[in-house]
Amino acid sequence: MSAAAIYPGSFDPLTYGHLDIIGRAVGLFPRLVVAVVSNPSKQPMFSADERVGMLEAEIAQLGDGIEVTAFDGLLVDLCAQRGIGTLVKGLRGAGDLEVELRMAQTNRQIGAVETVFLATSPERSHLASSFVREIARLGGRLDHAVPPAVERALRERAGS
Ligand code: PNS
C-alpha cells in the first residue's frame, strides 16, 4: 500500500458516510489529503471554503496525517502536484460502482493514478449529500446523516 492517498469529493455537505471512509482511510494511509472539489458549475449549497471548514472541524481529532484542501481542475493534476498516485473512494452499492469504475479507469488512463475502493459501512450506505440537502430544505430529521455542527449549518442555510 502506498504511503499517501487523496480522498476527493464534493462534500456538499459532508455526511457520516464520508466520515466513515475518512476514518478507515487514515488507518490505511499514513498521509491522507481530503480534496474538496469546488466545482462552481454544480451550484453547491456551501462554498468550497465552508466545506473545507466543516471537514477540518470534524477531522481535527484524527491527527497530523490528514489535511483538507480545496481544488478546481482534474484530480490527476492534483495527484501530480502532490506526488500522490492513489485515490480513495467509497462504494455504497452497484450504482456507485457503475460510475466509479469508469472514473477509476479514466484516471488511470490519463494520469496513471490507481483507485482504492472502500466498501461503505452498511449502516451508512444509504446516505447521500443530495438527500441531506433536500431533507434540510424540507425540514426533516438529519441527526442520522450529519454531525450536529453540519446540521446547524444546513438548517441555517436552508431556513428550516
Ligand atoms: O462527491 P462527488 O460529487 O461524487 O465527487 C465527484 C468527484 C469530485 C470525485 C469528481 O467529480 C471528480 O473527480 N472531479 C474532478 C474533475 C476530474 O478529475 N474529472 C475527471 C474524472 S474521470
Side-chain angles (χ1 to χ4, degrees), residues 8-11 37 42 71 73-76 89 100 103 106-107:
S10 302
F11 305 103
V37 177
K42 264 192 175 177
F71 92 104
L74 286 176
L75 262 180
V76 292
K89 293 284 193 85
E100 293 294 344
M103 281 205 257
T106 303
N107 284 325

Side-chain angles (χ1 to χ4, degrees), residues 7-12 18 35-37 39 42 71-77 87 89 92 96 99-100 102-107 110 129:
Y7 176 45
S10 302
F11 305 103
D12 187 39
H18 298 124
V36 176
V37 177
N39 203 351
K42 264 192 175 177
F71 92 104
D72 240 336
L74 286 176
L75 262 180
V76 292
D77 291 338
L87 297 171
K89 293 284 193 85
R92 290 168 296 191
D96 280 354
V99 179
E100 293 294 344
R102 282 164 40 218
M103 281 205 257
Q105 290 164 332
T106 303
N107 284 325
I110 66 175
S129 295

